[in-house]
Amino acid sequence: MSCSVARPLEWGTVSSSTAASGIDRIVEAAPQSLCAREPHVPADRLVAEMVPPPRFDSVRFATYIPDPNQPSQREAVRVLDDFAAGLGGAHAVSGRRSFFGFGKAKAAKAPAGPRGVYLDGGYGVGKTHLLASLWHATPAAPALKAFGTFVELTNLVGALGFQQTVQTLSGHRLLCIDEFELDDPGDTVLVSTLLGKLVDAGVALAATSNTLPGKLGEGRFASADFLREIQGLSAHFRTLRIDGEDYRHRGLPEAPAPYSDEQVTKAAYATEGASLDDFPHLLEHLARVHPSRYGALTDGVKALCLTDVRPVPDQSTALRLVVLADRLYDREVPVLASGQPFDKLFSEEMLRGGYRKKYFRAISRLTALARDAKGLVEA
């Protein structure tokens, strides 16, 4: 089914009488449609885009303010700063790299000791801030270090294939994985196998993770889960426990009231760089675009306008929407919508299931972007 969007006459189309009189004028530029886009992203771009998202462009260790009551936060900064500095001398030696100093000409083996760090902490303690700061602090060209979420990494494997992903990332000095997901055993085994290959190639690793669903204290500390799930790789990670208060809301955030179709459509025509799509048709379109290309799908979009938002019909669709929500959030794209509020997107069954942390994250992020879109509607 093709995308359909209501486009009122007064916001962009030309009446027959106007056309007959020889006046061919668009009152306001018609918005773009994500459904009309089918981006084809070359492999080198997929890898080149594995950098901290725009909202973390300017973070550094110096901008992380440790809680004076939590000495583990200050210690984490010190350890990560040293870890980054140690990567500066990494050079290929017989196909491998030295991580914590300059490789010697005759050395054929990678140095002993942990080649990775795992940031273990609850919500709101700044793990992503620290992980992005590590990426920025590592003295290597951007092409030699990669940063992405667990989902982005699995999507990369899906787009390139396992062997090409190994070959492509093996030349990197550092791979940072945010939100290492422990709720899908198949993906966990896939990524663990990939990381094993990269460790053998001499790539340094850094990661944060969520917790397994149903765990006591869910959302707090996940190191035992993480180290168990990655099994043979656990010896390569040094765990940095980061204590602190949980500043994020645990339940469903209150979503702003939706606007009318007319308000959303009018705002789309009045906003430069906006897109306008019917929500059910956009969900269908996402099934035809590989999730690794969702970032490219939103290239140049300054605001996402959606009509007829309604609950997602199934889990596969829901998981694709989660990825889109992450890419929109990374790019700080405001979302203006009509229909149902975002806290009604996922069924109660979904919110009780194994992927509930993903769904709560999507609701939280779409709600934040909906608040950012408030200024698009005329008072």
Side-chain angles (χ1 to χ4, degrees):
M1 183 180 295
S2 61
C3 254
S4 61
V5 179
R7 303 201 173 190
L9 175 64
E10 61 269 30
W11 297 327
T13 58
V14 181
S15 67
S16 58
S17 60
T18 302
S21 65
I23 300 174
D24 186 8
R25 181 174 62 88
I26 302 299
V27 176
E28 296 184 63
Q32 52 200 316
S33 168
L34 297 191
C35 290
R37 295 181 167 193
E38 294 186 8
H40 298 283
V41 184
D44 56 350
R45 176 178 167 180
L46 289 175
V47 177
E49 289 183 343
M50 292 189 71
V51 297
R55 63 179 60 244
F56 291 101
D57 276 347
S58 61
V59 302
R60 299 293 187 273
F61 290 132
T63 63
Y64 181 82
I65 310 300
D67 183 340
N69 298 317
Q70 303 291 351
S72 63
Q73 295 186 9
R74 186 176 299 279
E75 175 67 5
V77 172
R78 184 192 67 78
V79 172
L80 290 173
D81 197 18
D82 288 346
F83 185 75
L87 299 179
H91 288 282
V93 180
S94 298
R96 308 176 78 94
R97 281 182 172 81
S98 169
F99 288 97
F100 304 107
F102 287 88
K104 296 181 180 180
K106 296 182 180 180
K109 295 183 179 181
R115 305 182 195 179
V117 289
Y118 170 66
L119 309 186
D120 179 27
Y123 290 130
V125 298
K127 299 190 301 297
T128 302
H129 182 133
L130 290 172
L131 193 66
S133 297
L134 172 64
W135 188 92
H136 287 298
T138 297
L144 294 179
K145 47 190 180 179
F147 183 107
T149 64
F150 180 89
V151 171
E152 288 177 297
L153 191 58
T154 58
N155 287 340
L156 183 68
V157 176
L160 302 185
F162 185 84
Q163 293 301 330
Q164 187 177 349
T165 302
V166 171
Q167 182 178 356
T168 301
L169 294 180
S170 289
H172 281 58
R173 194 166 296 177
L174 172 69
L175 172 63
C176 296
I177 309 170
D178 199 20
E179 299 175 354
F180 196 109
E181 298 191 353
L182 303 173
D183 50 14
D184 188 315
D187 283 347
T188 301
V189 170
L190 172 70
V191 174
S192 295
T193 304
L194 171 65
L195 297 186
K197 298 289 187 182
L198 296 181
V199 165
D200 288 343
V203 181
L205 307 173
T208 71
S209 83
N210 61 21
T211 56
L212 286 168
K215 288 291 184 180
L216 182 64
E218 184 175 347
R220 294 304 302 170
F221 300 105
S223 60
D225 296 329
F226 175 78
L227 296 175
R228 181 180 64 253
E229 294 300 318
I230 63 172
Q231 298 177 11
L233 284 175
S234 59
H236 296 298
F237 282 88
R238 171 178 179 176
T239 298
L240 295 179
R241 177 161 173 164
I242 307 171
D243 298 288
E245 292 185 46
D246 181 350
Y247 292 107
R248 297 186 190 178
H249 187 55
R250 292 291 186 93
L252 286 173
E254 182 178 354
Y259 294 95
S260 68
D261 285 355
E262 182 180 13
Q263 287 174 304
V264 171
T265 305
K266 185 175 181 180
Y269 275 84
T271 303
E272 184 179 358
S275 66
L276 176 61
D277 289 285
D278 172 76
F279 185 70
H281 294 142
L282 177 59
L283 294 183
E284 292 180 8
H285 185 62
L286 292 180
R288 297 189 288 271
V289 179
H290 193 277
S292 65
R293 300 186 177 110
Y294 286 4
L297 187 69
T298 62
D299 278 352
V301 175
K302 303 302 181 185
L304 181 69
C305 298
L306 299 171
T307 57
D308 195 22
V309 170
R310 60 180 73 173
V312 294
D314 56 71
Q315 189 146 266
S316 294
T317 303
L319 292 173
R320 286 191 289 268
L321 181 60
V322 168
V323 177
L324 179 64
D326 287 342
R327 301 292 80 76
L328 293 169
Y329 186 77
D330 288 346
R331 290 160 173 75
E332 301 179 308
V333 178
V335 179
L336 191 71
S338 68
Q340 295 291 309
F342 289 131
D343 56 8
K344 304 298 183 184
L345 281 172
F346 307 106
S347 69
E348 288 298 323
E349 182 180 3
M350 289 179 179
L351 294 176
R352 290 193 301 267
Y355 295 115
R356 66 179 177 270
K357 292 178 75 74
K358 297 177 190 287
Y359 300 146
F360 273 76
R361 183 178 79 231
I363 292 171
S364 176
R365 291 184 167 186
L366 288 172
T367 296
L369 297 175
R371 294 193 181 108
D372 292 342
K374 184 177 180 181
L376 301 179
V377 178
E378 296 178 358

